[in-house]
Amino acid sequence: MPKTYPRPKLVIFDCDGVLIDSEPVFNAVLVQNLARHGLRLTPEQSQLTFTGLAMTELARMASQMGAVLPQNWITEVYDEAYALLRKGVPLIPGVLAVIRRLDEENIPCCIVSNGSEEKMQITLGPYGLWDRFHPNYMFSAHTLKVAKPDPEIFLAAAAHFDVQARDYAVKVSLGRRWDENGLQGTG
């Protein structure tokens, strides 16, 4: 007998690596920037070590690993990354179909991200997703002052929709496409 799952009352998406394929761009900027500050990593090492971390935690770890970071390092990295992201990044294939399917099923969805609203506007804007989600369906760690993996950021999003934690689904893993049914991410 096939296993069935309860219908979620809310779907929460991460942004980078789930909706937008921006993580490789940001990772490349990070590798180059950290090398200038004394920490040489391969892109693979950087991705395994830093993907998904809030920037303050990333800076702390990089410093512990030998990077000598200036006071304004986070701003420096964001400036470099945003300049490159403005050139465009692709959507994760199939994501628009997923959002359309959720809309058809009347299942609300939102974005919870450690990224800034500015970064999300840069990456989501060209696809109409900034206008679709901002401001009522977007929860940024920069705005809420709490970052993943702290559950408070997810609970804040759920509370906005008056949904209990047991009744929502979260898609935060790095995926490179969505399947043909639109609701099962891969990766």
Side-chain angles (χ1 to χ4, degrees), residues 14-81:
D14 189 2
C15 184
D16 302 299
V18 174
L19 299 177
I20 300 288
D21 198 11
S22 54
E23 287 183 336
V25 172
F26 191 85
N27 191 51
V29 168
L30 192 59
V31 167
Q32 291 173 357
N33 181 286
L34 288 173
R36 289 195 314 270
H37 294 293
L39 179 59
R40 299 199 186 287
L41 298 171
T42 66
E44 295 78 17
Q45 290 170 318
S46 175
Q47 183 175 0
L48 288 171
T49 305
F50 300 127
T51 296
L53 294 180
M55 287 299 287
T56 53
E57 178 67 10
L58 192 156
R60 186 189 65 74
M61 287 182 68
S63 294
Q64 288 176 341
M65 295 169 70
V68 180
L69 304 178
Q71 186 86 17
N72 69 337
W73 180 76
I74 292 174
T75 300
E76 177 183 295
V77 170
Y78 280 141
D79 289 347
E80 292 172 16

Side-chain angles (χ1 to χ4, degrees), residues 104-168:
E104 289 168 2
E105 297 289 330
N106 293 314
I107 299 172
C109 58
C110 66
I111 299 170
V112 168
S113 177
N114 281 348
S116 70
E117 287 191 13
E118 180 182 4
K119 194 256 337 145
M120 288 188 276
Q121 185 173 21
I122 292 167
T123 58
L124 298 171
Y127 302 103
L129 294 176
W130 171 259
D131 293 334
R132 160 64 165 87
F133 287 102
H134 187 266
N136 296 320
Y137 303 98
M138 187 174 290
F139 302 87
S140 166
H142 290 235
T143 304
L144 296 175
K145 305 299 184 214
V146 61
K148 298 179 297 168
D150 189 324
E152 286 301 315
I153 194 166
F154 298 107
L155 294 173
H160 178 80
F161 291 92
D162 198 26
V163 171
Q164 298 294 312
R166 69 177 176 269
D167 294 328
Y168 65 80

